[in-house]
Coordinates of all heavy atoms in Angstrom, one line a residue:
E1 N -11.7 12.5 -7.5 CA -11.3 11.1 -7.9 C -9.8 11.0 -7.8 O -9.1 11.7 -8.4 CB -11.8 10.8 -9.3 CG -11.5 9.5 -9.8 CD -12.5 8.4 -9.2 OE1 -13.4 8.7 -8.5 OE2 -12.2 7.2 -9.5
P2 N -9.3 10.0 -7.0 CA -7.9 9.8 -6.9 C -7.3 9.4 -8.2 O -7.9 8.7 -9.0 CB -7.8 8.6 -5.9 CG -9.0 8.6 -5.1 CD -10.1 9.1 -6.1
S3 N -6.1 9.8 -8.5 CA -5.4 9.6 -9.8 C -4.0 9.3 -9.6 O -3.3 10.0 -8.8 CB -5.7 10.8 -10.7 OG -4.8 10.7 -11.8
W4 N -3.4 8.4 -10.3 CA -2.0 8.1 -10.2 C -1.2 9.4 -10.7 O 0.0 9.5 -10.4 CB -1.6 6.9 -11.1 CG -2.0 5.6 -10.4 CD1 -3.0 4.8 -10.7 CD2 -1.4 5.1 -9.2 NE1 -3.1 3.8 -9.8 CE2 -2.2 3.9 -8.9 CE3 -0.4 5.4 -8.4 CZ2 -1.9 3.1 -7.8 CZ3 -0.1 4.6 -7.3 CH2 -0.8 3.5 -7.0
N5 N -1.9 10.2 -11.5 CA -1.2 11.5 -12.0 C -0.9 12.4 -10.8 O -0.1 13.3 -11.0 CB -2.1 12.2 -13.0 CG -2.3 11.4 -14.3 OD1 -1.5 10.6 -14.7 ND2 -3.4 11.6 -14.9
H6 N -1.6 12.2 -9.7 CA -1.4 13.1 -8.5 C -0.8 12.3 -7.4 O -0.8 12.7 -6.2 CB -2.7 13.7 -8.1 CG -3.3 14.6 -9.2 ND1 -4.4 14.2 -9.9 CD2 -2.9 15.8 -9.7 CE1 -4.7 15.1 -10.8 NE2 -3.8 16.1 -10.7
S7 N -0.2 11.1 -7.7 CA 0.4 10.3 -6.6 C 1.7 10.9 -6.2 O 2.4 11.7 -6.9 CB 0.6 8.9 -7.1 OG 1.6 8.8 -8.2
L8 N 2.1 10.6 -5.0 CA 3.3 11.1 -4.4 C 4.5 10.2 -4.6 O 4.3 9.0 -4.6 CB 3.1 11.4 -2.9 CG 2.0 12.3 -2.5 CD1 1.8 12.3 -1.0 CD2 2.4 13.7 -2.9
P9 N 5.7 10.7 -4.7 CA 6.9 9.8 -4.8 C 7.1 9.1 -3.5 O 6.7 9.5 -2.4 CB 8.0 10.8 -5.1 CG 7.6 12.1 -4.6 CD 6.1 12.1 -4.7
Q10 N 7.8 8.0 -3.6 CA 8.1 7.2 -2.4 C 9.1 7.9 -1.5 O 10.2 8.3 -1.9 CB 8.7 5.8 -2.9 CG 8.9 4.8 -1.8 CD 9.4 3.5 -2.4 OE1 9.9 3.5 -3.5 NE2 9.3 2.5 -1.6
T11 N 8.8 8.0 -0.2 CA 9.7 8.5 0.8 C 9.6 7.6 2.0 O 8.7 6.7 2.1 CB 9.3 9.9 1.2 OG1 8.0 9.9 1.9 CG2 9.2 10.9 0.0
S12 N 10.4 7.9 3.0 CA 10.3 7.1 4.3 C 9.0 7.4 5.0 O 8.5 6.5 5.8 CB 11.5 7.4 5.2 OG 11.5 8.8 5.5
N13 N 8.4 8.5 4.7 CA 7.1 8.9 5.4 C 5.9 8.2 4.8 O 4.8 8.3 5.4 CB 6.9 10.4 5.3 CG 7.8 11.1 6.3 OD1 8.2 10.6 7.3 ND2 8.2 12.3 5.8
N14 N 6.0 7.6 3.6 CA 4.8 6.9 3.0 C 5.1 5.5 2.6 O 4.5 5.0 1.7 CB 4.2 7.8 1.9 CG 5.1 7.9 0.7 OD1 6.3 7.4 0.7 ND2 4.6 8.5 -0.3
T15 N 6.1 4.9 3.3 CA 6.5 3.5 3.0 C 6.4 2.6 4.2 O 6.8 3.0 5.3 CB 8.0 3.5 2.4 OG1 8.0 4.3 1.3 CG2 8.4 2.1 2.1
C16 N 5.9 1.4 4.0 CA 5.8 0.4 5.1 C 6.4 -0.9 4.7 O 6.1 -1.4 3.6 CB 4.3 0.2 5.4 SG 3.9 -1.0 6.6
D17 N 7.3 -1.4 5.5 CA 8.1 -2.6 5.2 C 7.5 -3.7 6.0 O 7.5 -3.7 7.2 CB 9.5 -2.4 5.5 CG 10.4 -3.5 5.0 OD1 9.9 -4.6 4.7 OD2 11.7 -3.3 5.0
V18 N 6.9 -4.7 5.3 CA 6.3 -5.9 6.0 C 7.1 -7.2 5.7 O 6.6 -8.3 6.0 CB 4.8 -6.0 5.7 CG1 4.0 -4.8 6.2 CG2 4.6 -6.2 4.2
R19 N 8.3 -7.1 5.1 CA 9.1 -8.3 4.8 C 9.3 -9.1 6.1 O 9.6 -8.5 7.1 CB 10.4 -7.9 4.2 CG 10.3 -7.3 2.8 CD 11.6 -6.9 2.2 NE 12.0 -5.7 3.0 CZ 13.1 -5.0 2.7 NH1 13.9 -5.4 1.7 NH2 13.5 -4.0 3.4
G20 N 9.1 -10.4 6.0 CA 9.4 -11.3 7.1 C 8.2 -11.5 8.0 O 8.3 -12.3 8.9
L21 N 7.1 -10.8 7.8 CA 5.9 -10.9 8.6 C 5.0 -12.0 8.1 O 5.1 -12.3 6.9 CB 5.1 -9.6 8.7 CG 5.8 -8.4 9.4 CD1 4.9 -7.3 9.4 CD2 6.3 -8.8 10.8
R22 N 4.3 -12.7 8.9 CA 3.2 -13.6 8.5 C 2.1 -12.7 7.8 O 2.0 -11.5 8.1 CB 2.6 -14.4 9.6 CG 3.6 -15.3 10.3 CD 2.9 -16.3 11.2 NE 1.7 -15.8 11.8 CZ 1.5 -15.3 13.1 NH1 2.6 -15.3 13.9 NH2 0.4 -14.9 13.5
S23 N 1.3 -13.3 7.0 CA 0.3 -12.6 6.2 C -0.6 -11.8 7.1 O -0.9 -10.7 6.9 CB -0.5 -13.6 5.4 OG 0.3 -14.1 4.3
D24 N -1.1 -12.4 8.2 CA -2.1 -11.7 9.1 C -1.4 -10.6 9.8 O -2.0 -9.5 10.0 CB -2.7 -12.7 10.1 CG -1.7 -13.4 11.0 OD1 -0.5 -13.6 10.6 OD2 -2.1 -13.9 12.1
E25 N -0.1 -10.7 10.2 CA 0.7 -9.7 10.8 C 0.9 -8.5 9.8 O 0.8 -7.3 10.1 CB 2.0 -10.1 11.3 CG 2.0 -11.2 12.4 CD 3.3 -11.8 12.6 OE1 4.1 -12.0 11.7 OE2 3.6 -12.1 13.8
A26 N 1.2 -8.9 8.6 CA 1.4 -7.9 7.5 C 0.1 -7.1 7.3 O 0.2 -5.8 7.2 CB 1.9 -8.6 6.2
V27 N -1.0 -7.7 7.2 CA -2.3 -7.0 7.0 C -2.6 -6.1 8.1 O -2.9 -4.9 7.9 CB -3.5 -8.0 6.7 CG1 -4.8 -7.3 6.8 CG2 -3.3 -8.7 5.4
A28 N -2.3 -6.5 9.3 CA -2.6 -5.6 10.5 C -1.6 -4.4 10.4 O -2.1 -3.3 10.7 CB -2.3 -6.4 11.8
R29 N -0.4 -4.6 10.1 CA 0.6 -3.5 10.0 C 0.2 -2.5 8.8 O 0.2 -1.3 9.0 CB 2.0 -4.1 9.7 CG 3.1 -3.1 9.5 CD 3.8 -2.6 10.7 NE 4.2 -3.6 11.6 CZ 5.4 -4.2 11.6 NH1 6.3 -3.9 10.7 NH2 5.7 -5.1 12.5
V30 N -0.3 -3.1 7.7 CA -0.7 -2.3 6.6 C -1.9 -1.5 6.9 O -2.1 -0.3 6.5 CB -0.8 -3.1 5.3 CG1 -1.5 -2.3 4.2 CG2 0.5 -3.6 4.9
I31 N -2.9 -2.0 7.6 CA -4.1 -1.3 8.1 C -3.7 -0.1 8.9 O -4.1 1.0 8.7 CB -5.1 -2.2 8.8 CG1 -5.7 -3.2 7.9 CG2 -6.1 -1.4 9.5 CD1 -6.5 -4.3 8.6
E32 N -2.8 -0.3 9.9 CA -2.3 0.8 10.7 C -1.6 1.9 9.8 O -1.8 3.1 10.0 CB -1.3 0.3 11.7 CG -1.9 -0.5 12.8 CD -0.9 -1.0 13.8 OE1 0.3 -0.5 13.8 OE2 -1.2 -1.9 14.6
F33 N -0.8 1.4 8.9 CA -0.1 2.3 8.0 C -1.0 3.1 7.1 O -0.9 4.4 7.0 CB 0.9 1.4 7.1 CG 1.5 2.1 5.9 CD1 2.4 3.2 6.1 CD2 1.2 1.8 4.6 CE1 3.0 3.8 5.0 CE2 1.7 2.4 3.5 CZ 2.7 3.4 3.7
L34 N -2.0 2.5 6.5 CA -2.9 3.2 5.6 C -3.8 4.1 6.5 O -4.1 5.3 6.0 CB -3.8 2.2 4.8 CG -3.1 1.3 3.8 CD1 -4.0 0.3 3.2 CD2 -2.3 2.2 2.8
D35 N -4.2 3.7 7.7 CA -5.0 4.6 8.6 C -4.2 5.9 8.9 O -4.7 7.0 8.9 CB -5.3 3.8 9.8 CG -6.2 4.6 10.7 OD1 -7.3 4.9 10.3 OD2 -5.8 4.8 11.9
D36 N -2.9 5.7 9.1 CA -2.0 6.8 9.4 C -1.9 7.8 8.2 O -2.0 9.0 8.4 CB -0.6 6.3 9.9 CG 0.3 7.5 10.1 OD1 0.0 8.3 11.0 OD2 1.3 7.6 9.4
L37 N -1.7 7.2 7.0 CA -1.6 8.0 5.8 C -2.9 8.8 5.6 O -2.9 10.0 5.3 CB -1.3 7.1 4.6 CG 0.1 6.5 4.5 CD1 0.1 5.7 3.2 CD2 1.2 7.5 4.6
Y38 N -4.0 8.1 5.7 CA -5.3 8.7 5.5 C -5.5 9.9 6.5 O -5.9 11.0 6.1 CB -6.4 7.7 5.7 CG -7.8 8.2 5.4 CD1 -8.3 8.2 4.1 CD2 -8.6 8.7 6.5 CE1 -9.6 8.7 3.9 CE2 -9.9 9.2 6.2 CZ -10.4 9.2 4.9 OH -11.6 9.6 4.7
G39 N -5.1 9.6 7.8 CA -5.3 10.7 8.8 C -4.4 11.9 8.5 O -4.7 13.0 8.9
R40 N -3.3 11.7 7.9 CA -2.4 12.8 7.5 C -2.7 13.4 6.2 O -2.0 14.3 5.7 CB -0.9 12.3 7.6 CG -0.4 11.9 9.0 CD 1.1 11.7 9.0 NE 1.4 10.4 8.4 CZ 2.5 10.2 7.7 NH1 3.4 11.1 7.6 NH2 2.8 9.0 7.2
G41 N -3.7 12.8 5.5 CA -4.1 13.4 4.2 C -3.1 13.0 3.1 O -3.0 13.7 2.0
I42 N -2.3 11.9 3.2 CA -1.4 11.5 2.2 C -2.1 10.5 1.3 O -2.6 9.5 1.8 CB -0.1 10.9 2.9 CG1 0.6 12.0 3.7 CG2 0.8 10.3 1.9 CD1 1.8 11.5 4.5
N43 N -2.0 10.7 0.0 CA -2.8 9.9 -0.9 C -2.1 8.7 -1.5 O -2.7 7.9 -2.2 CB -3.4 10.7 -2.0 CG -2.4 11.1 -3.1 OD1 -1.1 11.0 -2.8 ND2 -2.8 11.5 -4.2
T44 N -0.8 8.5 -1.2 CA 0.0 7.4 -1.9 C 0.8 6.7 -0.8 O 1.5 7.4 -0.1 CB 0.9 8.0 -3.0 OG1 0.2 8.9 -3.8 CG2 1.4 6.9 -3.8
G45 N 0.7 5.4 -0.8 CA 1.6 4.6 0.1 C 2.3 3.5 -0.7 O 1.9 3.1 -1.8
Y46 N 3.4 3.1 -0.1 CA 4.2 2.0 -0.7 C 4.5 1.0 0.3 O 4.9 1.2 1.4 CB 5.6 2.6 -1.2 CG 5.4 3.7 -2.3 CD1 5.1 5.0 -2.0 CD2 5.4 3.3 -3.6 CE1 4.9 6.0 -2.9 CE2 5.2 4.3 -4.6 CZ 5.0 5.6 -4.3 OH 4.8 6.5 -5.2
V47 N 4.1 -0.3 -0.1 CA 4.2 -1.4 0.8 C 5.3 -2.3 0.3 O 5.2 -2.8 -0.8 CB 2.9 -2.2 1.0 CG1 3.1 -3.4 1.9 CG2 1.8 -1.3 1.5
I48 N 6.4 -2.5 1.1 CA 7.5 -3.3 0.7 C 7.2 -4.7 1.3 O 7.2 -4.9 2.5 CB 8.9 -2.8 1.2 CG1 9.1 -1.4 0.8 CG2 10.0 -3.8 0.8 CD1 10.3 -0.8 1.4
H49 N 7.0 -5.7 0.4 CA 6.7 -7.1 0.8 C 7.8 -8.0 0.4 O 7.8 -9.1 0.8 CB 5.3 -7.5 0.3 CG 5.0 -7.1 -1.1 ND1 5.7 -7.6 -2.2 CD2 4.1 -6.3 -1.5 CE1 5.2 -7.0 -3.2 NE2 4.2 -6.2 -2.9
G50 N 8.7 -7.5 -0.5 CA 9.7 -8.3 -1.0 C 9.3 -9.4 -2.0 O 8.1 -9.4 -2.4
H51 N 10.2 -10.2 -2.4 CA 9.9 -11.2 -3.4 C 9.6 -12.6 -2.7 O 8.5 -13.1 -2.7 CB 11.0 -11.4 -4.5 CG 11.2 -10.1 -5.3 ND1 10.3 -9.8 -6.3 CD2 12.1 -9.2 -5.2 CE1 10.7 -8.6 -6.8 NE2 11.8 -8.2 -6.2
G52 N 10.6 -13.1 -2.0 CA 10.5 -14.4 -1.3 C 9.8 -15.4 -2.1 O 10.0 -15.6 -3.3
T53 N 8.8 -16.1 -1.5 CA 8.0 -17.1 -2.2 C 6.9 -16.5 -3.0 O 6.3 -17.1 -3.9 CB 7.4 -18.1 -1.2 OG1 6.4 -17.4 -0.4 CG2 8.4 -18.8 -0.3
G54 N 6.6 -15.2 -2.8 CA 5.5 -14.5 -3.4 C 4.2 -14.6 -2.7 O 3.2 -14.0 -3.0
A55 N 4.2 -15.4 -1.6 CA 2.9 -15.6 -0.9 C 2.4 -14.3 -0.2 O 1.2 -14.0 -0.3 CB 3.1 -16.7 0.2
L56 N 3.3 -13.6 0.4 CA 2.9 -12.3 1.0 C 2.4 -11.3 0.0 O 1.4 -10.7 0.2 CB 4.1 -11.7 1.8 CG 3.8 -10.5 2.7 CD1 2.7 -10.8 3.7 CD2 5.1 -10.1 3.5
K57 N 3.1 -11.2 -1.1 CA 2.6 -10.3 -2.2 C 1.3 -10.7 -2.6 O 0.4 -9.8 -2.8 CB 3.6 -10.3 -3.3 CG 3.2 -9.6 -4.6 CD 4.2 -9.5 -5.7 CE 4.5 -10.9 -6.2 NZ 5.5 -10.9 -7.3
R58 N 1.1 -12.0 -2.9 CA -0.2 -12.4 -3.4 C -1.3 -12.2 -2.4 O -2.4 -11.7 -2.7 CB -0.2 -13.9 -3.7 CG 0.5 -14.2 -5.0 CD 0.4 -15.7 -5.5 NE 0.8 -16.6 -4.5 CZ 2.0 -17.1 -4.3 NH1 3.0 -16.6 -5.1 NH2 2.4 -18.0 -3.4
H59 N -1.0 -12.4 -1.1 CA -2.0 -12.2 -0.1 C -2.4 -10.8 0.0 O -3.6 -10.4 0.1 CB -1.5 -12.7 1.3 CG -2.5 -12.7 2.4 ND1 -3.4 -13.6 2.6 CD2 -2.7 -11.7 3.3 CE1 -4.2 -13.3 3.6 NE2 -3.8 -12.1 4.1
L60 N -1.4 -9.9 0.1 CA -1.7 -8.4 0.2 C -2.5 -7.9 -1.1 O -3.5 -7.2 -0.9 CB -0.4 -7.7 0.4 CG 0.2 -7.8 1.7 CD1 1.6 -7.2 1.7 CD2 -0.7 -7.1 2.8
R61 N -2.1 -8.4 -2.2 CA -2.7 -7.9 -3.5 C -4.1 -8.4 -3.6 O -5.0 -7.8 -4.2 CB -1.9 -8.2 -4.7 CG -0.6 -7.3 -4.7 CD 0.2 -7.5 -5.9 NE 1.4 -6.6 -5.9 CZ 2.4 -6.7 -6.8 NH1 2.3 -7.6 -7.8 NH2 3.4 -5.9 -6.7
A62 N -4.4 -9.6 -3.0 CA -5.8 -10.1 -3.0 C -6.6 -9.4 -1.9 O -7.8 -9.2 -2.1 CB -5.8 -11.6 -2.7
W63 N -6.0 -8.9 -0.9 CA -6.7 -8.2 0.2 C -6.9 -6.7 -0.1 O -8.0 -6.2 0.3 CB -5.8 -8.3 1.5 CG -6.3 -7.4 2.6 CD1 -7.4 -7.7 3.4 CD2 -5.9 -6.1 3.0 NE1 -7.6 -6.7 4.3 CE2 -6.7 -5.7 4.1 CE3 -4.9 -5.3 2.6 CZ2 -6.5 -4.5 4.7 CZ3 -4.7 -4.1 3.2 CH2 -5.5 -3.7 4.3
F64 N -6.0 -6.0 -0.8 CA -6.2 -4.6 -1.1 C -7.6 -4.2 -1.7 O -8.1 -3.2 -1.2 CB -5.1 -4.1 -2.0 CG -3.8 -3.8 -1.4 CD1 -2.6 -4.3 -2.0 CD2 -3.7 -3.1 -0.2 CE1 -1.4 -4.1 -1.4 CE2 -2.4 -2.9 0.4 CZ -1.3 -3.4 -0.2
P65 N -8.2 -4.9 -2.6 CA -9.5 -4.5 -3.1 C -10.6 -4.5 -2.0 O -11.6 -3.8 -2.2 CB -9.8 -5.6 -4.2 CG -8.5 -6.1 -4.6 CD -7.6 -6.1 -3.4
Q66 N -10.4 -5.2 -1.0 CA -11.4 -5.3 0.1 C -11.2 -4.2 1.1 O -12.1 -4.0 2.0 CB -11.3 -6.6 0.9 CG -11.4 -7.8 -0.1 CD -11.0 -9.1 0.6 OE1 -11.2 -9.3 1.8 NE2 -10.3 -10.0 -0.1
C67 N -10.1 -3.5 1.1 CA -9.8 -2.4 2.1 C -10.4 -1.1 1.7 O -10.2 -0.6 0.6 CB -8.2 -2.3 2.1 SG -7.7 -1.0 3.3
D68 N -11.1 -0.5 2.6 CA -11.8 0.8 2.4 C -10.9 1.9 2.0 O -11.3 2.8 1.3 CB -12.7 1.2 3.6 CG -13.9 0.3 3.8 OD1 -14.3 -0.4 2.8 OD2 -14.3 0.2 5.0
Y69 N -9.7 1.9 2.5 CA -8.7 3.0 2.2 C -8.2 2.9 0.7 O -7.8 3.9 0.2 CB -7.5 2.9 3.1 CG -7.8 3.2 4.5 CD1 -7.6 2.2 5.5 CD2 -8.1 4.5 4.9 CE1 -7.8 2.6 6.8 CE2 -8.3 4.8 6.2 CZ -8.2 3.8 7.2 OH -8.4 4.2 8.5
V70 N -8.3 1.8 0.1 CA -7.6 1.6 -1.2 C -8.5 1.9 -2.4 O -9.5 1.3 -2.6 CB -7.1 0.1 -1.3 CG1 -6.4 -0.1 -2.7 CG2 -6.1 -0.2 -0.2
H71 N -8.1 2.9 -3.2 CA -8.7 3.2 -4.4 C -8.2 2.3 -5.5 O -9.0 1.7 -6.3 CB -8.5 4.7 -4.8 CG -9.2 5.1 -6.1 ND1 -8.4 5.0 -7.3 CD2 -10.4 5.4 -6.4 CE1 -9.2 5.4 -8.3 NE2 -10.4 5.6 -7.8
S72 N -6.9 2.2 -5.6 CA -6.3 1.3 -6.6 C -4.9 1.0 -6.1 O -4.3 1.7 -5.2 CB -6.3 1.9 -8.0 OG -5.6 3.1 -8.0
F73 N -4.3 0.0 -6.8 CA -2.9 -0.3 -6.4 C -2.2 -0.9 -7.7 O -2.9 -1.2 -8.7 CB -2.8 -1.3 -5.3 CG -3.5 -2.6 -5.6 CD1 -2.8 -3.7 -6.0 CD2 -4.9 -2.8 -5.4 CE1 -3.4 -4.9 -6.3 CE2 -5.5 -4.0 -5.6 CZ -4.7 -5.1 -6.1
R74 N -0.9 -0.9 -7.6 CA -0.1 -1.3 -8.8 C 1.3 -1.8 -8.3 O 1.7 -1.5 -7.2 CB 0.1 -0.2 -9.8 CG 0.9 1.0 -9.2 CD 1.4 1.9 -10.3 NE 2.0 3.1 -9.8 CZ 3.2 3.2 -9.2 NH1 3.9 2.1 -9.0 NH2 3.7 4.4 -8.8
P75 N 1.9 -2.7 -9.1 CA 3.3 -3.1 -8.7 C 4.2 -1.9 -8.7 O 3.9 -0.9 -9.5 CB 3.7 -4.1 -9.8 CG 2.4 -4.5 -10.4 CD 1.4 -3.4 -10.2
G76 N 5.2 -1.9 -7.9 CA 6.2 -0.8 -7.9 C 6.9 -0.7 -9.2 O 7.1 -1.7 -9.9
K77 N 7.2 0.5 -9.5 CA 8.1 0.8 -10.7 C 9.5 0.4 -10.3 O 9.8 0.2 -9.2 CB 8.0 2.3 -11.1 CG 6.6 2.7 -11.6 CD 6.5 4.1 -11.9 CE 5.1 4.5 -12.4 NZ 5.0 5.9 -12.6
A78 N 10.4 0.3 -11.3 CA 11.8 -0.1 -11.1 C 12.4 0.7 -10.0 O 13.0 0.1 -9.1 CB 12.6 0.0 -12.4
Q79 N 12.3 2.0 -10.0 CA 12.9 2.9 -9.0 C 12.2 2.8 -7.7 O 12.8 3.3 -6.7 CB 13.0 4.3 -9.5 CG 11.6 5.1 -9.6 CD 10.9 4.9 -10.9 OE1 11.2 3.9 -11.7 NE2 10.0 5.7 -11.2
E80 N 11.1 2.2 -7.6 CA 10.4 2.1 -6.3 C 10.6 0.7 -5.6 O 10.1 0.5 -4.5 CB 8.9 2.2 -6.5 CG 8.5 3.6 -7.0 CD 7.1 3.6 -7.6 OE1 6.4 2.6 -7.8 OE2 6.6 4.8 -7.8
G81 N 11.3 -0.2 -6.3 CA 11.6 -1.5 -5.8 C 11.0 -2.6 -6.6 O 10.9 -3.8 -6.2
G82 N 10.4 -2.3 -7.8 CA 9.9 -3.2 -8.7 C 8.7 -4.0 -8.1 O 8.0 -3.5 -7.3
D83 N 8.6 -5.3 -8.4 CA 7.5 -6.1 -8.0 C 7.6 -6.6 -6.6 O 6.7 -7.2 -6.0 CB 7.4 -7.4 -8.9 CG 6.0 -7.9 -9.0 OD1 5.0 -7.2 -8.9 OD2 5.9 -9.2 -9.1
G84 N 8.7 -6.2 -5.9 CA 8.8 -6.4 -4.4 C 8.1 -5.4 -3.6 O 8.1 -5.4 -2.4
V85 N 7.5 -4.4 -4.3 CA 6.7 -3.3 -3.7 C 5.4 -3.2 -4.4 O 5.2 -3.4 -5.6 CB 7.5 -2.0 -3.9 CG1 6.7 -0.8 -3.4 CG2 8.8 -2.0 -3.1
T86 N 4.4 -2.8 -3.6 CA 3.1 -2.5 -4.2 C 2.8 -1.0 -3.8 O 2.8 -0.7 -2.6 CB 1.9 -3.4 -3.6 OG1 2.2 -4.7 -4.0 CG2 0.6 -3.0 -4.2
A87 N 2.5 -0.2 -4.8 CA 2.1 1.2 -4.6 C 0.6 1.2 -4.4 O -0.1 0.5 -5.2 CB 2.5 2.0 -5.8
V88 N 0.1 2.0 -3.5 CA -1.3 2.0 -3.2 C -1.8 3.5 -3.3 O -1.2 4.4 -2.7 CB -1.6 1.5 -1.7 CG1 -3.1 1.6 -1.4 CG2 -1.1 0.1 -1.6
L89 N -2.9 3.7 -4.0 CA -3.5 5.0 -4.1 C -4.7 5.0 -3.2 O -5.6 4.2 -3.3 CB -3.9 5.3 -5.5 CG -4.3 6.7 -5.9 CD1 -3.2 7.7 -5.7 CD2 -4.8 6.8 -7.4
L90 N -4.7 5.9 -2.2 CA -5.8 5.9 -1.2 C -7.0 6.7 -1.7 O -6.9 7.6 -2.5 CB -5.3 6.6 0.1 CG -4.6 5.7 1.1 CD1 -3.2 5.3 0.5 CD2 -4.4 6.3 2.4
T91 N -8.1 6.2 -1.3 CA -9.4 6.9 -1.6 C -9.4 8.2 -0.8 O -8.9 8.3 0.3 CB -10.6 6.1 -1.2 OG1 -11.8 6.7 -1.6 CG2 -10.7 5.7 0.2
L92 N -10.1 9.2 -1.3 CA -10.2 10.5 -0.6 C -11.6 10.6 0.0 O -11.8 11.6 0.7 CB -10.0 11.6 -1.6 CG -8.6 11.6 -2.3 CD1 -8.5 12.8 -3.3 CD2 -7.5 11.7 -1.2
R93 N -12.5 9.7 -0.2 CA -13.8 9.8 0.4 C -13.8 9.5 1.8 O -12.9 8.8 2.3 CB -14.8 8.8 -0.3 CG -14.5 7.3 -0.1 CD -15.5 6.4 -0.7 NE -15.3 5.0 -0.4 CZ -14.5 4.2 -1.1 NH1 -13.8 4.6 -2.1 NH2 -14.4 3.0 -0.7
S94 N -14.7 10.0 2.6 CA -14.7 9.8 4.0 C -15.2 8.4 4.3 O -16.0 7.8 3.5 CB -15.7 10.8 4.7 OG -17.0 10.6 4.2
L95 N -14.6 7.8 5.3 CA -14.8 6.4 5.6 C -15.9 6.3 6.7 O -16.1 7.1 7.5 CB -13.6 5.7 6.1 CG -12.4 5.7 5.1 CD1 -11.2 5.1 5.7 CD2 -12.7 5.0 3.8

């Protein structure tokens, strides 16, 4: 069972920046990103969506529960970029 207790710290290898993208473009980029993490056996990803109007953050956070890769997600901690980032814990089950 995936657990935040075993999550990985944020690095350039597990972070995806979608700032400035339209919602559909951002979801497509995040799917590729999560697919890559899953394929590499990495259980934690960080999506930088920024603050802006909040529309991109709301769209992504509404979409995450529908994504097969996502076990759970949370706003970023202060050192991860705060609420301009969403941390994602990937599922370990086979898809």
Side-chain angles (χ1 to χ4, degrees):
E1 179 77 7
S3 166
W4 288 106
N5 295 331
H6 301 104
S7 64
L8 299 172
Q10 186 179 18
T11 68
S12 59
N13 288 327
N14 66 355
T15 301
C16 177
D17 189 343
V18 296
R19 288 176 293 184
L21 299 182
R22 292 191 334 255
S23 293
D24 58 336
E25 296 170 327
V27 167
R29 176 90 46 93
V30 170
I31 290 171
E32 290 177 12
F33 168 67
L34 296 176
D35 185 60
D36 177 63
L37 291 181
Y38 185 86
R40 292 189 287 145
I42 296 174
N43 74 342
T44 315
Y46 298 86
V47 178
I48 303 172
H49 41 66
H51 296 286
T53 64
L56 186 55
K57 171 177 65 177
R58 285 191 303 274
H59 185 83
L60 287 169
R61 289 182 181 173
W63 173 79
F64 283 131
Q66 305 165 36
C67 179
D68 288 337
Y69 289 115
V70 177
H71 177 266
S72 59
F73 61 96
R74 61 165 173 75
K77 296 178 179 172
Q79 69 272 20
E80 297 165 347
D83 203 35
V85 172
T86 299
V88 179
L89 193 60
L90 277 70
T91 183
L92 302 177
R93 66 178 185 274
S94 60
L95 303 175

